[in-house]
Amino acid sequence: MKKTKFYLSSLALILSLNLSAAIQPRLEYPRPQFERMEWINLNGDAWTYQFDFGKSGMENKLFNSKGFEDRINVPFCPESPLSGIGHTDFIDAMWYHRTLDIPAGWEGNHIILHFGGVDFKSTIYINGKEAFVHYGGAASFQVDITNYVKAGQKNDLVVSVFDDVRSRIQPGGKQSRRLNSYECFYTRVTGIWATVWLESVAKNGLKNCRITPDLDNSQFVFEPKFYETNDKATFTVNVKDGNKTVASLNSKASDNAFLVTKIKNVKTWSPEHPFLYDIEYIVKEDGKVIDKVKSYAGMRKAELRGNQFYLNNKPYYQRLVLDQGYYPDGQWTAPTDEALKNDIVLAKNAGFNGARLHQKVFEQRYFYWADKLGYLTWGESPSWAMDWTNPVAARNMIDEWAECVERDYNVTSLVVWSPLNETWMDDVDGQRQRLSRDLYFTTKRLDRTRPVATTSGGYHAGFDDIYTEHTYEQDPVKLYNLLKPIDEGKPYVQFADKSWAWQGEPYMIDEFGGIRWVKKMHAAEVAPESSFWGYGKDPQSLEEYYRRLEDQVNVVLSIDGITGFCYTQIVDVELEKNGIYTYDRERKFDMDRIKKIFSKSREQAKKEVADMLKKTNSN
């Protein structure tokens, strides 16, 4: 029985259990570091859609649509149950429509249409006219539709989507290129998958503002950009600690401005103490406030010194978990804001201080909760599914990645960029090295404040600030012998004959473990248990699971040359059954015991590994 059939048959039950989300989903403001009061959430079932399997929508002039026959619940992709559709076969093209009611009071302002994410190519039509084309399923984007709409009237919005993950010229992450999910490849995501909203902004309003924390000099550096500028507009930045303003700066509203605000008695941000300063931006013209934006920032410094990662000028050991950001009812989209927060709470309760956000660019609300709760994050692109030897594919990825780096530059919790995951194919005319180089230097040009681990595991092509390796060796003694430094301190490199050599960079094991443990099948699963994905032979008891897990973690913690780890993974995802929690976020294990394992001191781990090796040698 195919999964598609099951989704359709169980759809009524799922939607009844998520009634509030289905009627008005995801109503929270989607961009917490740049929040305006005057906005309109466009999520919900006011959208209609039509699949375009023949790719004939342009010939049929669907851009002139006044509405299609069937409804879809945005921002959930049509493959997801929460969309109201649950169509999991391939959808290479589709069209959306909804009306836009522009308030009459917005006349004279910029009217900005925001898309949190549309996979992959999207063309935006307003009242039958093409307003914008965007490439990139992971990147958020905005469209200034001021010249296409009429305030105080209804306007027709049509979105055309093309998304062919089988083409190999677009990033797709873990989306399956087969009909159904298999191994560690999951249900596809087509079209709109994140919040859509409208904003009204004054002509000389603030477009964006970069925030760079400078801990060593106890200051924030602000770089504002405006929609338009003139000689009358002024810009104010207020930095607050609760109700107290700790810094304030006024300047001319100029795109050339670099504003530096000194902070006395500075408070730093860390996972242990996630303090955030509130920030207020105010734009005035002739003394009158024309734009006001709320933001926040943490004072933290992420850097590398020698072979160590430092946070706020102190060595810091990263205990990360792999998080793929999939949900059984929403695919790439969390059903609620609370679900995003809960994923971080679950990980912290398991002993992790951060996550490698794997093969997906996460929602800005996720980063908000990471900032608020104190949780390190690594940003990664959905690079899998792409043929990096194809120049068009490489261009698609680099452009999309640049947009993602720009969008999340201000995120406090984000400490490392890691665009590529496991590039396995042999180099072809230097294209693997070229792509790695281009991604590294593109990232560095956009952000000089964070380390870049260009390629996580697989074949390394150079251009890495952090050298990362993967291993799923299950036997702890073999794992120790694999990872212990050899040849003048050189670490384990899985494919040394295919990779650039380690040059003394900080070294991390950013994938290991992955022990399969099936607590229960998820409701939507019909595959035989033999097809479930995990690493090594299944433990025969919970006690064997705990012992194997603890021994593996001990080994990684005990080796001085390893400066951090990432365990695979936080939750099961579809057929992949190696999570600490189930796919629907239920406990699989004794969480007190799990937390003690992942939060154990390195000194204690060394003692236990020494005892393990002594016992092994005596046998």
Side-chain angles (χ1 to χ4, degrees):
M1 179 181 179
K2 294 181 180 178
K3 190 164 56 175
T4 301
K5 294 180 179 179
F6 181 88
Y7 274 142
L8 293 175
S9 65
S10 62
L11 187 57
L13 173 62
I14 293 172
L15 289 179
S16 68
L17 294 174
N18 295 278
L19 185 59
S20 61
I23 296 172
Q24 289 186 318
R26 304 301 306 271
L27 290 180
E28 64 283 345
Y29 191 83
R31 191 181 54 182
Q33 275 193 296
F34 203 81
E35 182 175 357
R36 284 192 174 91
M37 295 301 295
E38 196 165 5
W39 70 291
I40 299 173
N41 191 309
L42 299 178
N43 291 343
D45 63 359
W47 295 79
T48 61
Y49 79 97
Q50 180 173 311
F51 291 142
D52 186 9
F53 298 119
K55 301 178 185 177
S56 57
M58 283 297 294
E59 293 180 71
N60 288 320
K61 298 184 178 181
L62 297 186
F63 49 83
N64 285 323
S65 174
K66 301 296 182 181
F68 300 111
E69 290 186 9
D70 298 312
R71 292 193 175 274
I72 182 169
N73 192 31
V74 167
F76 304 108
C77 67
E79 292 87 351
S80 70
L82 283 177
S83 70
I85 301 169
H87 181 97
T88 58
D89 206 337
F90 288 92
I91 310 167
D92 287 351
M94 66 179 295
W95 296 72
Y96 294 83
H97 172 275
R98 68 157 292 151
T99 58
L100 300 178
D101 294 309
I102 310 298
W106 288 13
E107 182 71 38
N109 283 358
H110 286 283
I111 300 170
I112 310 299
L113 176 62
H114 295 268
F115 291 88
V118 186
D119 196 10
F120 167 72
K121 176 189 175 184
S122 51
T123 306
I124 313 303
Y125 300 91
I126 305 293
N127 297 323
K129 295 180 180 180
E130 181 182 308
F132 195 74
V133 180
H134 182 262
Y135 292 82
S140 304
F141 64 96
Q142 61 184 42
V143 187
D144 190 333
I145 61 172
T146 309
N147 295 328
Y148 296 88
V149 296
K150 295 179 181 179
Q153 298 183 20
K154 289 185 180 295
N155 300 267
D156 289 291
L157 165 63
V158 172
V159 180
S160 169
V161 170
F162 286 86
D163 183 26
D164 184 4
V165 73
R166 292 174 294 188
S167 70
R168 303 295 305 277
I169 65 168
Q170 64 182 67
K174 292 293 194 76
Q175 299 182 57
S176 175
R177 295 195 300 275
R178 301 180 188 173
L179 174 60
N180 295 310
S181 302
Y182 68 99
E183 297 175 353
C184 59
F185 294 90
Y186 321 127
T187 302
R188 287 170 294 282
V189 175
T190 300
I192 298 171
W193 65 271
T195 292
V196 185
W197 79 100
L198 276 172
E199 260 181 341
S200 172
V201 186
K203 289 291 185 182
N204 297 305
L206 186 64
K207 190 171 188 178
N208 58 59
C209 188
R210 274 191 163 211
I211 309 171
T212 303
D214 180 0
L215 175 61
D216 295 331
N217 293 297
S218 300
Q219 62 191 21
F220 287 110
V221 180
F222 296 90
E223 301 173 59
K225 296 290 182 184
F226 301 87
Y227 281 97
E228 300 177 30
T229 58
N230 62 27
D231 291 332
K232 300 178 181 180
T234 61
F235 179 59
T236 299
V237 178
N238 294 319
V239 182
K240 297 183 178 183
D241 178 352
N243 293 323
K244 181 181 178 181
T245 299
V246 297
S248 185
L249 199 64
N250 298 297
S251 89
K252 187 174 181 178
S254 168
D255 287 346
N256 296 321
F258 287 80
L259 309 180
V260 179
T261 57
K262 290 283 187 177
I263 309 294
K264 292 182 179 180
N265 303 316
V266 68
K267 298 179 180 180
T268 58
W269 179 97
S270 69
E272 294 73 27
H273 302 286
F275 176 81
L276 296 170
Y277 289 96
D278 291 322
I279 295 170
E280 181 181 59
Y281 303 125
I282 299 174
V283 183
K284 294 182 179 180
E285 191 169 334
D286 292 329
K288 179 182 177 183
V289 174
I290 62 169
D291 195 16
K292 183 181 287 189
V293 178
K294 290 171 54 181
S295 186
Y296 69 84
M299 185 64 76
R300 68 98 186 90
K301 179 183 178 184
E303 66 172 339
L304 307 175
R305 297 185 189 178
N307 64 353
Q308 296 290 320
F309 174 82
Y310 275 63
L311 184 68
N312 300 335
N313 294 324
K314 295 179 181 179
Y316 195 92
Y317 195 87
Q318 297 183 71
R319 301 168 186 259
L320 309 180
V321 67
L322 199 76
D323 190 337
Q324 312 209 58
Y326 264 80
Y327 299 87
D329 48 3
Q331 266 42 79
W332 269 6
T333 314
T336 64
D337 188 50
E338 188 66 24
L340 292 172
K341 177 183 178 181
N342 185 57
D343 281 357
I344 296 170
V345 171
L346 292 177
K348 289 175 71 74
N349 288 344
F352 300 106
N353 58 24
R356 178 175 162 227
L357 307 180
H358 187 47
Q359 285 302 290
K360 175 192 166 185
V361 175
F362 280 47
E363 299 178 50
Q364 289 171 285
R365 294 291 306 187
Y366 178 94
F367 286 117
Y368 166 75
W369 286 116
D371 293 346
K372 291 282 287 184
L373 297 173
Y375 191 65
L376 301 177
T377 56
W378 285 33
E380 183 176 321
S381 88
S383 60
W384 275 21
M386 187 197 75
D387 176 8
W388 48 262
T389 66
N390 184 312
V392 174
R395 177 184 177 181
N396 284 338
M397 183 188 175
I398 294 168
D399 287 351
E400 178 179 304
W401 177 245
E403 289 185 71
C404 296
V405 173
E406 286 276 18
R407 190 198 77 174
D408 294 330
Y409 178 88
N410 291 348
V411 174
T412 300
S413 61
L414 203 159
V415 294
V416 175
W417 295 113
S418 185
L420 291 171
N421 177 70
E422 294 182 356
T423 55
W424 294 118
M425 296 170 60
D426 288 336
D427 213 338
V428 177
D429 297 328
Q431 291 301 313
R432 176 160 58 88
Q433 184 181 353
R434 180 186 181 189
L435 178 60
S436 297
R437 180 190 65 217
D438 288 348
L439 285 168
Y440 178 83
F441 286 109
T442 294
T443 307
K444 285 293 189 182
R445 281 191 292 270
L446 294 170
D447 183 1
R448 61 185 179 84
T449 71
R450 293 178 175 90
V452 179
T454 307
T455 303
S456 177
Y459 297 172
H460 290 271
F463 310 105
D464 287 300
D465 294 332
I466 303 174
Y467 205 102
T468 59
E469 272 297 347
H470 302 173
T471 175
Y472 287 102
E473 174 57 59
Q474 295 295 297
D475 182 278
V477 175
K478 291 180 180 178
L479 182 64
Y480 177 82
N481 290 329
L482 194 70
L483 296 181
K484 66 181 181 181
I486 58 173
D487 298 336
E488 301 178 352
K490 293 181 180 179
Y492 162 74
V493 176
Q494 184 177 10
F495 298 100
D497 59 330
K498 302 283 189 180
S499 298
W500 279 45
W502 173 75
Q503 301 292 325
E505 307 93 331
Y507 177 89
M508 286 185 64
I509 297 298
D510 72 337
E511 279 190 38
F512 81 105
I515 305 169
R516 191 174 93 155
W517 183 263
V518 183
K519 179 180 179 180
K520 70 172 187 177
M521 291 175 63
H522 185 264
E525 291 165 356
V526 293
E529 187 170 335
S530 61
S531 68
F532 289 163
W533 176 259
Y535 293 92
K537 294 181 179 179
D538 288 2
Q540 297 304 298
S541 66
L542 269 174
E543 190 57 39
E544 182 184 340
Y545 176 92
Y546 291 128
R547 184 72 267 153
R548 189 193 299 182
L549 175 67
E550 186 164 17
D551 285 345
Q552 288 186 19
V553 174
N554 282 346
V555 166
V556 175
L557 285 171
S558 71
I559 297 174
D560 289 333
I562 298 175
T563 61
F565 68 71
C566 178
Y567 182 80
T568 303
Q569 61 183 324
I570 187 61
V571 299
D572 297 339
V573 183
E574 297 191 359
L575 297 178
E576 194 167 0
K577 300 296 184 184
N578 49 21
I580 298 298
Y581 299 91
T582 68
Y583 195 18
D584 44 11
R585 278 62 175 174
E586 291 183 2
R587 291 186 179 188
K588 295 169 70 174
F589 309 108
D590 178 342
M591 294 312 300
D592 289 336
R593 190 165 181 179
I594 291 293
K595 186 171 186 177
K596 288 179 181 178
I597 291 173
F598 285 113
S599 59
K600 183 181 299 184
S601 73
R602 302 190 73 186
E603 292 73 20
Q604 182 62 31
K606 288 178 182 179
K607 293 178 183 178
E608 294 181 17
V609 168
D611 290 343
M612 178 189 71
L613 295 174
K614 183 178 180 180
K615 181 178 179 180
T616 300
N617 292 333
S618 66
N619 292 335

